[in-house]
Amino acid sequence: MGLGDNAFFWLNSWSSTAGMLTRREVDEAERRTGIPAAGGALPLLGHLPQVFKLGVDDFEKKWLRKKKSKLLLSWFGNSPMITVTDPEVLKHVLVKEFSNFHDRPRRMNPDINRYSENLADKMEKLAKSKEKVEIKRLYEGFTLDTISATAFGLDVDCINNPDGPFIKNMRSIFEKGIGVWRRIFFTLGNIFPTFIPVVRYFKMDYFDKDHLDFFIRHCQAMIEDRKTRVSQRKDFLQLMVDAELEDKSTTDPEVCNVPNKRLTNDEVVAQVFMLYLAGHETTANTLTFVSYELALNQEVQDRVIQEIQDQIGEVIHRLYREIQETVTIGNYTFPKGWTVVVSVFSIHRDPEYWPDPERFDPGRFENPKSTQNKFFYIPFGQGPRICLGMRLALLELKVSLVHVLKRVRLVPCEETQMSLKPVTHKGTLISVERPIQLGLQLRQNEH
Protein backbone atom coordinates (compact mmCIF):
# COMPACT_ATOMS: atom_id res chain seq x y z
CA MET A 1 0.00 0.00 0.00
CA GLY A 2 1.17 3.50 -0.71
CA LEU A 3 0.73 7.06 0.38
CA GLY A 4 -2.84 7.16 -0.82
CA ASP A 5 -3.68 4.01 1.14
CA ASN A 6 -2.90 5.76 4.37
CA ALA A 7 -4.09 9.30 3.61
CA PHE A 8 -7.20 8.80 5.77
CA PHE A 9 -5.00 7.95 8.71
CA TRP A 10 -2.31 10.57 8.19
CA LEU A 11 -4.70 13.47 7.80
CA ASN A 12 -6.25 12.65 11.14
CA SER A 13 -3.21 11.64 13.15
CA TRP A 14 -0.33 13.98 12.44
CA SER A 15 0.66 16.03 15.44
CA SER A 16 -1.02 19.38 15.89
CA THR A 17 2.17 20.75 17.40
CA ALA A 18 4.62 22.67 15.27
CA GLY A 19 7.80 21.95 17.22
CA MET A 20 11.08 21.43 15.43
CA LEU A 21 12.22 17.82 15.14
CA THR A 22 15.95 17.75 15.95
CA ARG A 23 18.71 15.18 15.62
CA ARG A 24 18.88 15.06 19.41
CA GLU A 25 15.19 14.13 19.59
CA VAL A 26 15.69 11.36 17.06
CA ASP A 27 18.66 9.99 19.02
CA GLU A 28 16.68 10.18 22.25
CA ALA A 29 13.75 8.32 20.65
CA GLU A 30 16.10 5.56 19.47
CA ARG A 31 17.59 5.26 22.96
CA ARG A 32 14.20 5.29 24.65
CA THR A 33 12.52 2.72 22.44
CA GLY A 34 15.46 0.52 21.41
CA ILE A 35 14.28 0.88 17.79
CA PRO A 36 16.44 2.29 14.94
CA ALA A 37 15.19 5.40 13.12
CA ALA A 38 15.07 6.06 9.40
CA GLY A 39 17.66 8.60 8.27
CA GLY A 40 17.08 12.01 6.76
CA ALA A 41 14.39 13.35 9.12
CA LEU A 42 13.78 17.07 8.56
CA PRO A 43 12.53 19.69 11.01
CA LEU A 44 8.72 20.05 10.88
CA LEU A 45 8.36 17.59 7.98
CA GLY A 46 10.06 14.54 9.43
CA HIS A 47 10.27 11.87 6.73
CA LEU A 48 7.37 13.18 4.65
CA PRO A 49 9.51 14.26 1.65
CA GLN A 50 10.90 10.72 1.37
CA VAL A 51 7.44 9.22 1.71
CA PHE A 52 6.02 11.47 -1.00
CA LYS A 53 8.88 10.55 -3.30
CA LEU A 54 9.05 6.79 -2.72
CA GLY A 55 5.64 5.86 -1.41
CA VAL A 56 5.33 4.67 2.18
CA ASP A 57 5.94 0.99 1.42
CA ASP A 58 9.15 1.53 -0.54
CA PHE A 59 10.27 4.04 2.09
CA GLU A 60 9.83 1.46 4.84
CA LYS A 61 11.35 -1.32 2.79
CA LYS A 62 14.45 0.79 2.11
CA TRP A 63 15.09 1.71 5.75
CA LEU A 64 14.16 -1.64 7.27
CA ARG A 65 16.75 -3.21 4.98
CA LYS A 66 19.36 -0.52 5.71
CA LYS A 67 18.89 -0.81 9.46
CA LYS A 68 18.67 -4.62 9.30
CA SER A 69 15.72 -4.46 11.65
CA LYS A 70 12.13 -5.68 11.87
CA LEU A 71 11.06 -2.42 13.55
CA LEU A 72 11.56 1.16 12.42
CA LEU A 73 11.06 4.66 13.81
CA SER A 74 9.90 7.42 11.48
CA TRP A 75 8.17 10.80 11.73
CA PHE A 76 5.24 12.00 9.66
CA GLY A 77 5.43 15.70 10.33
CA ASN A 78 6.14 15.75 14.07
CA SER A 79 4.23 12.54 14.81
CA PRO A 80 6.42 9.56 15.73
CA MET A 81 5.51 6.25 14.13
CA ILE A 82 6.75 2.74 14.93
CA THR A 83 6.60 0.34 12.00
CA VAL A 84 6.44 -3.31 13.03
CA THR A 85 7.17 -6.31 10.78
CA ASP A 86 8.20 -8.80 13.47
CA PRO A 87 5.50 -11.49 13.93
CA GLU A 88 6.54 -12.10 17.54
CA VAL A 89 6.03 -8.43 18.41
CA LEU A 90 2.76 -8.43 16.49
CA LYS A 91 1.41 -11.16 18.76
CA HIS A 92 1.59 -8.64 21.59
CA VAL A 93 0.36 -5.61 19.61
CA LEU A 94 -2.63 -7.36 18.05
CA VAL A 95 -3.50 -9.98 20.67
CA LYS A 96 -1.76 -10.19 24.06
CA GLU A 97 -1.54 -6.42 24.70
CA PHE A 98 -4.31 -5.37 22.29
CA SER A 99 -6.09 -3.25 24.93
CA ASN A 100 -3.09 -0.90 24.98
CA PHE A 101 -3.14 -0.51 21.18
CA HIS A 102 -6.42 1.05 20.03
CA ASP A 103 -7.71 1.49 16.52
CA ARG A 104 -10.08 1.90 15.27
CA PRO A 105 -24.68 -12.41 8.24
CA ARG A 106 -25.51 -15.55 6.55
CA ARG A 107 -28.58 -14.23 4.79
CA MET A 108 -26.24 -12.28 2.54
CA ASN A 109 -25.15 -15.45 0.73
CA PRO A 110 -27.99 -15.53 -1.83
CA ASP A 111 -27.18 -11.96 -2.90
CA ILE A 112 -23.50 -12.78 -3.39
CA ASN A 113 -24.41 -15.91 -5.30
CA ARG A 114 -26.86 -14.04 -7.54
CA TYR A 115 -24.41 -11.29 -8.46
CA SER A 116 -21.64 -13.82 -8.98
CA GLU A 117 -23.88 -15.50 -11.54
CA ASN A 118 -24.52 -12.11 -13.17
CA LEU A 119 -20.76 -11.58 -13.36
CA ALA A 120 -20.22 -14.99 -14.93
CA ASP A 121 -23.03 -14.34 -17.44
CA LYS A 122 -21.40 -11.09 -18.47
CA MET A 123 -17.97 -12.68 -18.85
CA GLU A 124 -19.43 -15.57 -20.83
CA LYS A 125 -21.00 -13.12 -23.30
CA LEU A 126 -17.67 -11.32 -23.66
CA ALA A 127 -15.92 -14.66 -24.24
CA LYS A 128 -18.37 -15.52 -27.03
CA SER A 129 -17.68 -12.20 -28.73
CA LYS A 130 -13.92 -12.77 -28.24
CA GLU A 131 -13.55 -9.29 -26.77
CA LYS A 132 -10.48 -8.31 -24.80
CA VAL A 133 -11.47 -7.20 -21.33
CA GLU A 134 -10.26 -4.55 -18.92
CA ILE A 135 -10.92 -6.97 -16.13
CA LYS A 136 -11.08 -4.54 -13.22
CA ARG A 137 -14.06 -2.72 -14.73
CA LEU A 138 -16.09 -5.92 -14.46
CA TYR A 139 -15.06 -6.57 -10.88
CA GLU A 140 -15.81 -2.97 -9.88
CA GLY A 141 -19.38 -3.48 -11.03
CA PHE A 142 -19.63 -6.79 -9.20
CA THR A 143 -18.35 -5.46 -5.85
CA LEU A 144 -20.65 -2.42 -5.97
CA ASP A 145 -23.62 -4.63 -6.78
CA THR A 146 -22.74 -6.99 -3.93
CA ILE A 147 -22.22 -4.29 -1.29
CA SER A 148 -25.38 -2.48 -2.36
CA ALA A 149 -27.45 -5.65 -2.08
CA THR A 150 -25.97 -7.27 1.03
CA ALA A 151 -25.51 -4.14 3.15
CA PHE A 152 -28.29 -1.86 1.86
CA GLY A 153 -30.85 -3.99 0.03
CA LEU A 154 -30.36 -2.17 -3.29
CA ASP A 155 -30.22 -3.54 -6.82
CA VAL A 156 -28.00 -1.12 -8.78
CA ASP A 157 -26.85 -3.59 -11.51
CA CYS A 158 -23.48 -1.97 -12.15
CA ILE A 159 -22.28 -5.12 -13.92
CA ASN A 160 -24.62 -4.42 -16.83
CA ASN A 161 -24.48 -0.64 -16.48
CA PRO A 162 -20.74 0.07 -16.26
CA ASP A 163 -21.17 3.71 -17.26
CA GLY A 164 -24.07 4.49 -14.96
CA PRO A 165 -23.79 7.44 -12.53
CA PHE A 166 -23.37 5.21 -9.48
CA ILE A 167 -20.25 3.37 -10.61
CA LYS A 168 -18.82 6.38 -12.48
CA ASN A 169 -18.86 8.50 -9.34
CA MET A 170 -17.31 5.75 -7.21
CA ARG A 171 -14.66 5.04 -9.82
CA SER A 172 -13.76 8.74 -10.02
CA ILE A 173 -13.22 8.92 -6.25
CA PHE A 174 -10.54 6.22 -6.41
CA GLU A 175 -8.97 7.16 -9.74
CA LYS A 176 -8.65 10.85 -8.98
CA GLY A 177 -7.77 10.38 -5.31
CA ILE A 178 -7.39 13.67 -3.45
CA GLY A 179 -5.12 15.33 -6.01
CA VAL A 180 -1.66 16.78 -5.54
CA TRP A 181 -2.71 20.26 -4.43
CA ARG A 182 -5.36 18.97 -2.04
CA ARG A 183 -2.79 16.62 -0.55
CA ILE A 184 -0.33 19.50 -0.07
CA PHE A 185 -2.97 21.74 1.52
CA PHE A 186 -4.20 19.03 3.89
CA THR A 187 -0.62 18.16 4.82
CA LEU A 188 0.19 21.79 5.62
CA GLY A 189 -3.02 22.07 7.61
CA ASN A 190 -2.04 19.14 9.79
CA ILE A 191 1.55 20.22 10.34
CA PHE A 192 0.67 23.89 10.84
CA PRO A 193 -2.72 24.22 12.58
CA THR A 194 -2.80 27.94 11.77
CA PHE A 195 -3.10 26.92 8.11
CA ILE A 196 -6.43 25.13 8.68
CA PRO A 197 -8.54 28.31 8.23
CA VAL A 198 -7.00 28.67 4.76
CA VAL A 199 -8.16 25.18 3.84
CA ARG A 200 -11.64 26.00 5.14
CA TYR A 201 -11.68 29.36 3.36
CA PHE A 202 -11.12 27.67 0.00
CA LYS A 203 -13.77 25.07 0.93
CA MET A 204 -11.44 22.21 0.11
CA ASP A 205 -13.05 18.82 0.62
CA TYR A 206 -11.01 15.65 0.97
CA PHE A 207 -12.76 14.19 -2.08
CA ASP A 208 -14.03 15.96 -5.18
CA LYS A 209 -17.19 17.77 -4.08
CA ASP A 210 -19.37 16.68 -7.01
CA HIS A 211 -18.68 12.99 -6.44
CA LEU A 212 -19.01 13.38 -2.68
CA ASP A 213 -22.34 15.18 -2.99
CA PHE A 214 -23.66 12.42 -5.24
CA PHE A 215 -23.02 9.79 -2.61
CA ILE A 216 -24.31 11.92 0.25
CA ARG A 217 -27.59 12.37 -1.61
CA HIS A 218 -27.65 8.66 -2.41
CA CYS A 219 -26.99 7.66 1.21
CA GLN A 220 -29.59 10.09 2.56
CA ALA A 221 -32.20 8.78 0.14
CA MET A 222 -31.56 5.19 1.27
CA ILE A 223 -31.85 6.18 4.93
CA GLU A 224 -35.07 8.12 4.42
CA ASP A 225 -36.56 5.22 2.48
CA ARG A 226 -35.87 2.83 5.36
CA LYS A 227 -37.45 5.24 7.83
CA THR A 228 -40.68 5.55 5.86
CA ARG A 229 -41.37 1.84 5.41
CA VAL A 230 -41.16 -1.26 7.53
CA SER A 231 -38.22 -3.42 6.53
CA GLN A 232 -37.65 -7.03 7.54
CA ARG A 233 -34.02 -6.90 6.45
CA LYS A 234 -31.42 -7.02 9.21
CA ASP A 235 -28.60 -5.62 7.12
CA PHE A 236 -25.99 -2.96 7.82
CA LEU A 237 -28.27 -0.07 6.82
CA GLN A 238 -31.10 -1.21 9.07
CA LEU A 239 -28.73 -1.53 12.02
CA MET A 240 -27.53 2.02 11.37
CA VAL A 241 -31.06 3.41 11.04
CA ASP A 242 -32.12 1.64 14.23
CA ALA A 243 -29.14 3.23 16.00
CA GLU A 244 -29.88 6.77 14.80
CA LEU A 245 -30.24 9.55 17.38
CA GLU A 246 -33.92 10.09 18.13
CA ASP A 247 -33.51 13.75 19.16
CA LYS A 248 -32.09 15.15 15.91
CA SER A 249 -32.19 18.72 17.23
CA THR A 250 -29.63 18.13 19.96
CA THR A 251 -26.55 20.33 19.89
CA ASP A 252 -25.38 19.48 23.40
CA PRO A 253 -21.57 19.07 23.27
CA GLU A 254 -21.84 16.67 26.21
CA VAL A 255 -24.05 14.26 24.26
CA CYS A 256 -21.05 12.15 23.36
CA ASN A 257 -20.57 11.37 27.04
CA VAL A 258 -24.10 10.01 27.46
CA PRO A 259 -23.89 6.20 27.78
CA ASN A 260 -26.99 5.53 25.64
CA LYS A 261 -26.15 8.04 22.91
CA ARG A 262 -27.53 7.05 19.52
CA LEU A 263 -26.19 7.85 16.06
CA THR A 264 -26.96 11.15 14.34
CA ASN A 265 -28.09 11.28 10.73
CA ASP A 266 -24.67 12.59 9.65
CA GLU A 267 -22.97 9.70 11.44
CA VAL A 268 -25.20 7.19 9.68
CA VAL A 269 -24.44 8.76 6.29
CA ALA A 270 -20.71 8.72 7.08
CA GLN A 271 -20.80 5.03 8.05
CA VAL A 272 -22.71 4.08 4.90
CA PHE A 273 -20.30 6.04 2.71
CA MET A 274 -17.24 4.52 4.40
CA LEU A 275 -18.58 1.00 3.95
CA TYR A 276 -18.81 1.63 0.22
CA LEU A 277 -15.26 3.00 0.17
CA ALA A 278 -13.80 0.19 2.24
CA GLY A 279 -15.60 -2.72 0.62
CA HIS A 280 -15.54 -1.82 -3.05
CA GLU A 281 -12.05 -1.10 -4.34
CA THR A 282 -10.24 -3.55 -2.07
CA THR A 283 -12.16 -6.60 -3.26
CA ALA A 284 -12.17 -5.47 -6.91
CA ASN A 285 -8.38 -5.06 -6.78
CA THR A 286 -7.90 -8.50 -5.26
CA LEU A 287 -10.07 -10.17 -7.90
CA THR A 288 -8.17 -8.30 -10.61
CA PHE A 289 -4.74 -9.44 -9.45
CA VAL A 290 -5.93 -13.01 -8.86
CA SER A 291 -7.36 -13.15 -12.39
CA TYR A 292 -4.13 -11.76 -13.82
CA GLU A 293 -2.05 -14.40 -12.07
CA LEU A 294 -4.39 -17.20 -13.08
CA ALA A 295 -4.27 -16.07 -16.71
CA LEU A 296 -0.46 -16.14 -16.69
CA ASN A 297 -0.28 -19.41 -14.75
CA GLN A 298 -2.58 -21.78 -16.61
CA GLU A 299 -1.46 -24.85 -14.66
CA VAL A 300 -2.61 -23.19 -11.44
CA GLN A 301 -5.91 -22.23 -13.06
CA ASP A 302 -6.40 -25.85 -14.11
CA ARG A 303 -5.85 -26.97 -10.52
CA VAL A 304 -8.41 -24.43 -9.30
CA ILE A 305 -11.09 -25.50 -11.74
CA GLN A 306 -10.43 -29.15 -10.96
CA GLU A 307 -10.86 -28.44 -7.27
CA ILE A 308 -14.09 -26.59 -8.01
CA GLN A 309 -15.38 -29.59 -9.91
CA ASP A 310 -14.24 -32.09 -7.29
CA GLN A 311 -15.25 -30.24 -4.14
CA ILE A 312 -18.18 -28.06 -5.17
CA GLY A 313 -19.73 -29.58 -8.27
CA GLU A 314 -22.65 -27.41 -9.27
CA VAL A 315 -22.50 -23.95 -7.83
CA ILE A 316 -25.22 -23.66 -5.35
CA HIS A 317 -1.16 -2.15 2.53
CA ARG A 318 -1.59 -1.40 6.60
CA LEU A 319 -2.92 -1.42 10.15
CA TYR A 320 -2.60 1.37 12.72
CA ARG A 321 -2.81 1.37 16.50
CA GLU A 322 -2.52 4.32 18.88
CA ILE A 323 -0.59 3.43 22.02
CA GLN A 324 -2.76 4.08 25.07
CA GLU A 325 -0.19 3.24 27.76
CA THR A 326 3.58 2.80 27.57
CA VAL A 327 4.30 -0.86 26.87
CA THR A 328 7.55 -2.84 26.87
CA ILE A 329 7.72 -5.83 24.54
CA GLY A 330 11.01 -7.69 24.71
CA ASN A 331 13.79 -5.15 24.18
CA TYR A 332 11.45 -2.53 22.71
CA THR A 333 9.48 0.25 24.40
CA PHE A 334 6.30 1.64 22.87
CA PRO A 335 5.65 5.10 24.40
CA LYS A 336 2.15 6.29 25.21
CA GLY A 337 0.66 8.56 22.55
CA TRP A 338 2.81 7.24 19.72
CA THR A 339 1.45 5.25 16.80
CA VAL A 340 2.23 1.69 15.75
CA VAL A 341 2.11 0.84 12.05
CA VAL A 342 1.76 -2.82 11.14
CA SER A 343 3.42 -3.01 7.72
CA VAL A 344 1.41 -5.78 6.10
CA PHE A 345 3.00 -5.02 2.72
CA SER A 346 6.50 -5.66 4.09
CA ILE A 347 5.58 -8.79 6.05
CA HIS A 348 3.94 -10.38 3.03
CA ARG A 349 7.05 -9.72 0.94
CA ASP A 350 9.69 -10.76 3.47
CA PRO A 351 11.77 -13.64 2.00
CA GLU A 352 12.45 -14.86 5.55
CA TYR A 353 8.81 -15.85 5.82
CA TRP A 354 7.97 -16.25 2.12
CA PRO A 355 10.78 -17.53 -0.14
CA ASP A 356 10.74 -15.78 -3.53
CA PRO A 357 7.85 -13.60 -2.32
CA GLU A 358 7.04 -11.98 -5.68
CA ARG A 359 6.37 -15.34 -7.35
CA PHE A 360 2.75 -16.41 -7.67
CA ASP A 361 2.69 -19.71 -5.78
CA PRO A 362 -0.61 -20.66 -4.11
CA GLY A 363 0.99 -23.96 -3.09
CA ARG A 364 3.10 -22.15 -0.50
CA PHE A 365 0.04 -21.99 1.76
CA GLU A 366 -0.02 -25.77 1.87
CA ASN A 367 3.44 -25.77 3.46
CA PRO A 368 3.17 -26.08 7.26
CA LYS A 369 6.21 -23.79 7.68
CA SER A 370 4.32 -20.99 5.96
CA THR A 371 1.21 -21.42 8.06
CA GLN A 372 2.68 -22.30 11.46
CA ASN A 373 2.70 -18.64 12.49
CA LYS A 374 -0.58 -16.86 11.80
CA PHE A 375 1.23 -13.51 11.92
CA PHE A 376 3.16 -14.29 8.72
CA TYR A 377 0.01 -13.60 6.73
CA ILE A 378 -2.38 -10.92 8.02
CA PRO A 379 -4.37 -9.36 5.13
CA PHE A 380 -7.27 -8.68 7.49
CA GLY A 381 -5.24 -8.06 10.63
CA GLN A 382 -5.33 -10.43 13.61
CA GLY A 383 -6.65 -10.67 17.14
CA PRO A 384 -9.77 -9.10 18.72
CA ARG A 385 -9.75 -6.20 16.23
CA ILE A 386 -9.51 -8.29 13.08
CA CYS A 387 -11.35 -6.74 10.11
CA LEU A 388 -15.12 -7.04 10.54
CA GLY A 389 -15.57 -7.36 6.78
CA MET A 390 -13.23 -10.32 6.42
CA ARG A 391 -15.85 -13.02 5.99
CA LEU A 392 -17.90 -10.96 3.53
CA ALA A 393 -14.82 -10.12 1.46
CA LEU A 394 -13.60 -13.74 1.36
CA LEU A 395 -17.07 -14.96 0.50
CA GLU A 396 -17.30 -12.46 -2.38
CA LEU A 397 -13.89 -13.50 -3.70
CA LYS A 398 -14.47 -17.22 -3.56
CA VAL A 399 -18.05 -17.37 -4.80
CA SER A 400 -17.42 -14.99 -7.69
CA LEU A 401 -14.30 -16.84 -8.84
CA VAL A 402 -16.11 -20.19 -8.68
CA HIS A 403 -18.87 -18.87 -10.94
CA VAL A 404 -16.45 -17.22 -13.34
CA LEU A 405 -14.02 -20.13 -13.65
CA LYS A 406 -16.77 -22.66 -14.25
CA ARG A 407 -17.82 -20.67 -17.31
CA VAL A 408 -14.71 -19.06 -18.79
CA ARG A 409 -10.94 -19.49 -18.90
CA LEU A 410 -8.83 -16.42 -18.17
CA VAL A 411 -6.04 -16.06 -20.72
CA PRO A 412 -3.40 -13.42 -21.55
CA CYS A 413 -3.87 -11.36 -24.70
CA GLU A 414 -1.58 -9.07 -26.73
CA GLU A 415 -2.24 -6.16 -24.38
CA THR A 416 -1.52 -8.15 -21.19
CA GLN A 417 1.58 -7.01 -19.31
CA MET A 418 3.87 -9.93 -18.55
CA SER A 419 5.08 -8.37 -15.30
CA LEU A 420 3.47 -5.92 -12.92
CA LYS A 421 5.15 -3.39 -10.65
CA PRO A 422 2.84 -2.26 -7.87
CA VAL A 423 2.34 1.51 -7.69
CA THR A 424 2.20 2.59 -4.05
CA HIS A 425 2.70 6.36 -4.21
CA LYS A 426 -0.59 7.50 -5.71
CA GLY A 427 -4.27 6.67 -5.58
CA THR A 428 -5.88 5.12 -2.53
CA LEU A 429 -4.75 1.50 -2.85
CA ILE A 430 -2.09 -0.55 -4.60
CA SER A 431 -2.49 -0.03 -8.31
CA VAL A 432 -0.64 -0.50 -11.59
CA GLU A 433 0.50 1.98 -14.24
CA ARG A 434 -1.73 0.59 -16.99
CA PRO A 435 -5.09 -1.20 -16.74
CA ILE A 436 -4.88 -5.00 -16.75
CA GLN A 437 -6.40 -6.46 -19.90
CA LEU A 438 -7.12 -10.17 -20.33
CA GLY A 439 -8.76 -12.47 -22.82
CA LEU A 440 -11.66 -14.81 -22.06
CA GLN A 441 -12.36 -18.25 -23.53
CA LEU A 442 -15.50 -20.31 -23.13
CA ARG A 443 -14.87 -23.40 -21.03
CA GLN A 444 -17.55 -25.38 -22.80
CA ASN A 445 -15.29 -25.40 -25.85
CA GLU A 446 -12.71 -27.36 -23.87
CA HIS A 447 -14.85 -30.49 -23.66
Side-chain angles (χ1 to χ4, degrees):
M1 300 180 178
L3 178 61
D5 299 81
N6 308 296
F8 289 106
F9 172 78
W10 294 339
L11 295 177
N12 288 286
S13 67
W14 282 331
S15 173
S16 60
T17 62
M20 299 284 283
L21 179 65
T22 65
R23 179 67 249 181
R24 178 180 295 178
E25 288 176 321
V26 173
D27 292 341
E28 172 59 24
E30 287 186 309
R31 185 197 63 76
R32 179 184 182 189
T33 63
I35 302 170
L42 299 175
L44 294 179
L45 299 177
H47 294 98
L48 282 176
Q50 294 186 54
V51 171
F52 274 108
K53 180 181 178 181
L54 300 174
V56 68
D57 296 305
D58 287 337
F59 162 78
E60 289 177 342
K61 185 177 178 180
K62 169 186 174 180
W63 287 105
L64 285 167
R65 188 189 301 120
K66 271 194 171 185
K67 297 296 181 176
K68 298 179 180 179
S69 174
K70 297 291 186 184
L71 286 83
L72 181 73
L73 284 179
S74 59
W75 280 262
F76 287 22
N78 289 303
S79 293
M81 318 280 283
I82 301 176
T83 298
V84 178
T85 65
D86 186 332
E88 293 304 313
V89 175
L90 289 181
K91 287 182 182 179
H92 293 267
V93 173
L94 300 179
V95 180
K96 296 181 179 180
E97 301 275 356
F98 84 95
S99 61
N100 289 318
F101 298 88
H102 285 194
D103 308 303
R104 48 160 193 140
R106 290 189 176 275
R107 71 182 309 280
M108 297 178 178
N109 293 14
D111 290 323
I112 296 176
N113 203 56
R114 175 160 57 94
Y115 286 108
S116 295
E117 288 181 344
N118 289 353
L119 174 65
D121 288 341
K122 181 73 172 181
M123 294 177 78
E124 192 171 42
K125 290 177 183 177
L126 292 169
K128 289 177 180 177
S129 64
K130 302 188 184 307
E131 291 184 46
K132 297 178 179 64
V133 177
E134 188 178 329
I135 199 73
K136 187 181 177 184
R137 290 289 190 253
L138 291 173
Y139 291 140
E140 286 174 338
F142 164 71
T143 55
L144 277 179
D145 283 350
T146 303
I147 295 171
S148 297
T150 57
F152 308 116
L154 296 178
D155 184 0
V156 293
D157 197 16
C158 292
I159 291 176
N160 295 307
N161 296 285
D163 295 317
F166 193 82
I167 192 169
K168 283 180 69 175
N169 277 275
M170 181 61 78
R171 187 181 295 144
S172 295
I173 285 175
F174 284 98
E175 290 183 346
K176 293 183 178 179
I178 65 171
V180 175
W181 285 108
R182 272 200 182 106
R183 186 180 299 167
I184 292 173
F185 271 75
F186 274 95
T187 300
L188 290 174
N190 278 277
I191 296 177
F192 307 104
T194 53
F195 196 77
I196 293 176
V198 178
V199 176
R200 289 175 176 163
Y201 177 79
F202 285 105
K203 298 180 179 179
M204 299 186 73
D205 294 311
Y206 188 82
F207 294 111
D208 181 87
K209 190 176 187 303
D210 291 337
H211 304 310
L212 188 61
D213 286 346
F214 173 88
F215 274 97
I216 290 176
R217 291 194 303 270
H218 176 77
C219 294
Q220 289 174 332
M222 288 194 300
I223 294 167
E224 290 305 315
D225 179 67
R226 284 293 177 94
K227 290 179 186 176
T228 56
R229 63 183 177 87
V230 178
S231 175
Q232 299 302 314
R233 292 183 65 95
K234 291 301 179 184
D235 53 19
F236 179 83
L237 179 59
Q238 194 61 46
L239 292 173
M240 291 296 99
V241 171
D242 291 345
E244 186 173 355
L245 181 64
E246 293 176 346
D247 181 9
K248 300 176 182 60
S249 63
T250 183
T251 57
D252 185 354
E254 299 298 321
V255 72
C256 292
N257 296 323
V258 179
N260 61 348
K261 174 190 179 293
R262 299 172 70 82
L263 294 177
T264 66
N265 186 71
D266 285 347
E267 288 171 334
V268 174
V269 170
Q271 291 298 321
V272 171
F273 180 59
M274 286 307 299
L275 184 63
Y276 268 119
L277 290 181
H280 159 59
E281 185 81 354
T282 50
T283 307
N285 265 357
T286 303
L287 283 167
T288 299
F289 289 125
V290 169
S291 298
Y292 171 82
E293 293 291 355
L294 290 175
L296 267 60
N297 296 270
Q298 291 293 312
E299 71 286 353
V300 175
Q301 189 172 169
D302 288 335
R303 286 174 53 196
V304 174
I305 193 61
Q306 187 61 52
E307 185 170 338
I308 290 172
Q309 293 169 345
D310 293 343
Q311 302 296 328
I312 301 177
E314 289 302 313
V315 179
I316 335 188
H317 143 11
R318 238 167 168 67
L319 306 174
Y320 297 90
R321 298 290 185 266
E322 182 181 342
I323 305 170
Q324 301 300 302
E325 298 293 339
T326 297
V327 177
T328 298
I329 301 175
N331 298 322
Y332 307 116
T333 298
F334 295 77
K336 178 180 178 179
W338 289 28
T339 298
V340 169
V341 182
V342 180
S343 183
V344 179
F345 186 92
S346 298
I347 295 170
H348 290 179
R349 286 160 178 77
D350 192 326
E352 180 179 339
Y353 314 134
W354 306 102
D356 194 7
E358 297 296 336
R359 179 169 57 91
F360 180 64
D361 178 19
R364 71 172 81 234
F365 291 95
E366 300 169 4
N367 182 345
K369 184 175 187 288
S370 300
T371 57
Q372 65 185 5
N373 190 325
K374 61 184 179 181
F375 294 91
F376 287 175
Y377 187 66
I378 49 172
F380 295 97
Q382 197 51 265
R385 295 193 179 93
I386 196 167
C387 175
L388 292 175
M390 177 183 70
R391 293 187 178 182
L392 176 61
L394 288 175
L395 194 60
E396 280 186 84
L397 292 166
K398 294 176 180 179
V399 174
S400 60
L401 283 173
V402 166
H403 278 283
V404 167
L405 293 176
K406 282 181 68 70
R407 309 270 281 279
V408 302
R409 175 178 288 276
L410 302 164
V411 296
C413 60
E414 292 180 3
E415 290 81 4
T416 303
Q417 307 161 65
M418 290 299 106
S419 64
L420 295 177
K421 180 176 179 2
V423 175
T424 64
H425 62 275
K426 61 183 180 181
T428 52
L429 292 171
I430 292 178
S431 60
V432 290
E433 289 290 353
R434 293 188 291 120
I436 295 174
Q437 295 203 48
L438 300 175
L440 304 173
Q441 293 178 352
L442 290 174
R443 281 206 178 271
Q444 64 187 40
N445 296 338
E446 299 179 5
H447 304 297

